[in-house]
Amino acid sequence: MEWLSDPQIWASFVTLTALEIVLGIDNLVFIAIVAGRLPPERQNRARQVGLALALITRLALLASIVWIIGLTRPLFDLFGQPVSWRDIVLIAGGLFLLYKGTREIHQGLEGDPHNRDAGGGRTSFAGVVAQIMLLDIVFSLDSVITAVGMANALWVMAAAIIITIVIMLAASKPLADFVERHPTVKMLALSFLLLIGTTLIADGAGFDVPKGYIYAAIGFSVAVETLNQFAARRRNSKP
């Protein structure tokens, strides 16, 4: 039980947990948008099943440490730029986010004459769960690779991932409900998906985009929207 008194282990555990939570915010936004295509009575179940399966996927990735490290090795060169499996996964995930975000914005503003059900009934439960799992792999790939580099103990990395998923499970429904209640917030969340998708493509293409800039832009947008929400409530409360 020497690990209980080892400050390095606890420092890596806290750091990894914080990292996973911050990176998990992107995933929660995507889950809120995708699950919103289902009937209301099935949305929470889809979020729970998707995140539970995502936990299994993350732990499986973590257990395959040698394979995970191999994903960063170059496969071939394209225009003088080395390309690895990690780059391919990030670019594919980024393109999917751009497609999904653009499609949701179009349907939100223009409407979809072929899909006027209350919950977007054409989207299947299995399809939503599959999208949550696939995008979780994209969102968690870099964090798992970072975890492998930051901590030597497998249980530390696994514990950080489990705690993050538990927090995401608890926060997914309140966040989804809030997004659905406020159309402007939903549109802002969709714009975040476009921003994150572009960043993933740039990262996969070899362009280093500092994550601090991305989160600063998102934070500024959230602050402005928060002020707008407060102003709207004050206007509505006036007699």
Side-chain angles (χ1 to χ4, degrees), residues 89-123:
V89 171
L90 292 181
I91 291 174
L95 289 173
F96 179 76
L97 282 181
L98 290 182
Y99 162 77
K100 193 67 179 178
T102 303
R103 187 167 180 266
E104 291 290 337
I105 290 175
H106 175 80
Q107 291 181 349
L109 295 178
E110 300 288 341
D112 186 353
H114 301 294
N115 189 15
R116 296 190 181 280
D117 297 332
R122 289 204 311 163
T123 302

Side-chain angles (χ1 to χ4, degrees), residues 49-67:
V49 173
L51 283 173
L53 293 176
L55 172 60
I56 297 174
T57 303
R58 290 194 188 196
L59 292 178
L61 288 174
L62 191 59
S64 308
I65 292 178
V66 176
W67 180 74

Side-chain angles (χ1 to χ4, degrees), residues 14-167:
V14 173
T15 303
L16 282 176
T17 302
L19 174 67
E20 291 284 340
I21 292 173
V22 170
L23 295 177
I25 295 173
D26 303 340
N27 204 358
L28 281 179
V29 172
F30 176 79
I31 291 171
I33 299 299
V34 174
R37 305 296 297 168
L38 288 171
E41 65 273 10
R42 306 190 72 188
Q43 293 177 9
N44 192 47
R45 183 62 176 170
R47 290 189 293 265
Q48 292 174 345
V49 173
L51 283 173
L53 293 176
L55 172 60
I56 297 174
T57 303
R58 290 194 188 196
L59 292 178
L61 288 174
L62 191 59
S64 308
I65 292 178
V66 176
W67 180 74
I68 283 290
I69 295 175
L71 290 178
T72 61
R73 297 195 184 103
L75 292 173
F76 55 87
D77 287 349
L78 185 63
F79 303 113
Q81 176 69 33
V83 179
S84 66
W85 277 113
R86 169 189 172 273
D87 300 328
I88 295 174
V89 171
L90 292 181
I91 291 174
L95 289 173
F96 179 76
L97 282 181
L98 290 182
Y99 162 77
K100 193 67 179 178
T102 303
R103 187 167 180 266
E104 291 290 337
I105 290 175
H106 175 80
Q107 291 181 349
L109 295 178
E110 300 288 341
D112 186 353
H114 301 294
N115 189 15
R116 296 190 181 280
D117 297 332
R122 289 204 311 163
T123 302
S124 68
F125 183 89
V128 168
V129 171
Q131 290 183 54
I132 293 174
M133 285 186 62
L134 289 175
L135 262 294
D136 185 80
I137 293 175
V138 175
F139 284 128
S140 64
L141 186 60
D142 265 359
S143 64
V144 171
I145 292 174
T146 303
V148 171
M150 289 180 60
N152 295 322
L154 181 63
W155 72 266
V156 173
M157 296 179 276
I161 289 175
I162 292 172
I163 290 176
T164 302
I165 293 295
V166 170
I167 293 175

